[in-house]
Amino acid sequence: MGMGHYRTLFISDVHLGTRASQADQLLDFLRETEADTIYLVGDIIDFWRIRRGAIWPQAQNDVLQKLLRKVRKGTRIVFIPGNHDEGLRPYCGQHFGGIELEHQAVHTTADGKRYLVIHGDEFDVVVRYARWLAFLGDRGYELALWMNHPLNFIRRRFGLGYWSLSAHLKLRVKTAVNFIGEFEKSLSDEARRHEVDGVICGHIHHAASRDMEGVHYLNCGDWVESCTAIGERADGSFEMIRWLDVVREREQKTAAKLAEALQVA
């Protein structure tokens, strides 16, 4: 589950340069998985946060090194910048360290289906028409993300699993749920305009795989709260990879083996 070799991997919204980025989890994921092609679907590096002073622990550096090492070993990596790393958009069409920068792409699956790959911020009214509102929202969101750390420190002390306050708040706010619906519809409409079978995007930190009136809508999610990615298998089918579930399963197996060993002893 979630480990092994994929034809294609899609990862978005890692937000390197922020305290909230779960780079250690992503590094673990990249070590455990291989792919012929990896699409980085935007907001990989958070230049909005870096302008205010970067948070750059070793794990975040290791993620970039790991990706570059994968390129050297033959993995094709396509980076589609998002709004948080939009400073890279003028360089689309160029290669950096073997990584291809593209504004958007059309990916063809093993079974011949075509998917538009796009970050998606162009279809977010808040980002497009009121950037100051987006920045304001970014600060509030950052505060909720910051609260995740002390909350989960306490939860761990009581033997409870990871829980995201920011994700919980986002899905409890009616306007956020409506916004997600509008975003999904806009991206699906864009896929229809491109006459493709589906769309793979990021931006709203909400992993999904659903049929939108004949268009397959896929959202990578993020590596800030949910630690999700999309994997295309050899037959062209897609899998929603929820890495925290994989890690939890792994830890349970290790604990069971340890308990078994102690009983034998």
Side-chain angles (χ1 to χ4, degrees):
M1 181 190 174
M3 286 178 273
H5 189 277
Y6 291 89
R7 185 174 184 265
T8 321
L9 283 173
F10 301 85
I11 298 162
S12 79
D13 299 272
V14 181
H15 291 274
L16 296 174
T18 69
R19 188 176 279 104
S21 180
Q22 296 203 49
D24 49 349
Q25 295 287 2
L26 179 56
L27 189 60
D28 188 25
F29 170 68
L30 291 171
R31 283 178 180 143
E32 295 283 345
T33 50
E34 292 298 332
D36 302 333
T37 304
I38 298 173
Y39 284 91
L40 302 172
V41 193
D43 287 1
I44 304 301
I45 302 166
D46 195 323
F47 289 111
W48 289 16
R49 183 64 185 81
I50 286 169
R51 284 189 206 119
R52 306 199 298 269
I55 312 289
W56 205 269
Q58 187 59 42
Q60 300 199 11
N61 211 40
D62 292 343
V63 164
L64 294 179
Q65 293 298 329
K66 185 69 178 168
L67 289 168
L68 290 167
R69 213 159 31 246
K70 281 185 182 286
V71 171
R72 288 196 295 273
K73 287 182 178 174
T75 302
R76 180 185 175 221
I77 297 187
V78 182
F79 185 173
I80 294 165
N83 51 307
H84 283 259
D85 39 30
E86 67 189 350
L88 298 172
R89 282 178 170 164
Y91 301 99
C92 285
Q94 297 184 36
H95 288 206
F96 283 92
I99 295 174
E100 304 167 33
L101 258 71
E102 296 293 345
H103 182 65
Q104 60 186 50
V106 174
H107 172 73
T108 305
T109 62
D111 57 349
K113 290 193 173 75
R114 294 166 72 242
Y115 283 77
L116 176 67
V117 187
I118 186 169
H119 180 64
D121 60 289
E122 305 95 315
F123 302 92
D124 177 347
V125 173
V126 173
V127 169
R128 273 183 83 181
Y129 300 112
R131 283 180 66 85
W132 66 272
L133 255 181
F135 276 105
L136 194 68
D138 197 45
R139 291 292 179 96
Y141 184 52
E142 240 177 49
L143 178 64
L145 285 169
W146 181 85
M147 284 298 294
N148 285 341
H149 291 272
L151 267 174
N152 282 293
F153 173 76
I154 295 161
R155 284 177 66 84
R156 275 196 304 274
R157 297 299 287 268
F158 286 97
L160 299 166
Y162 182 85
W163 180 76
S164 172
L165 169 69
S166 46
H168 175 78
L169 290 175
K170 203 158 59 175
L171 289 175
R172 288 294 170 277
V173 178
K174 192 168 181 283
T175 51
V177 175
N178 289 344
F179 162 73
I180 289 167
E182 282 299 311
F183 181 83
E184 291 174 349
K185 186 183 179 302
S186 297
L187 267 292
S188 303
D189 289 345
E190 182 67 5
R192 280 189 200 91
R193 277 195 288 277
H194 280 77
E195 297 180 340
V196 292
D197 300 289
V199 60
I200 300 169
C201 58
H203 185 58
I204 59 169
H205 295 210
H206 186 67
S209 171
R210 61 172 56 93
D211 177 76
M212 301 284 289
E213 295 174 12
V215 169
H216 188 190
Y217 169 88
L218 287 152
N219 193 304
C220 305
D222 66 278
W223 288 82
V224 168
E225 297 164 283
S226 54
C227 297
T228 53
I230 293 162
E232 181 203 352
R233 303 184 193 94
D235 63 357
S237 61
F238 288 103
E239 174 190 350
M240 180 62 70
I241 303 163
R242 298 187 181 276
W243 190 246
L244 294 178
D245 290 350
V246 176
V247 171
R248 212 169 286 123
E249 210 174 279
R250 199 166 59 187
E251 285 170 353
Q252 283 168 356
K253 280 179 185 170
T254 305
K257 277 181 188 170
L258 184 62
E260 203 178 296
L262 288 169
Q263 277 176 352
V264 169

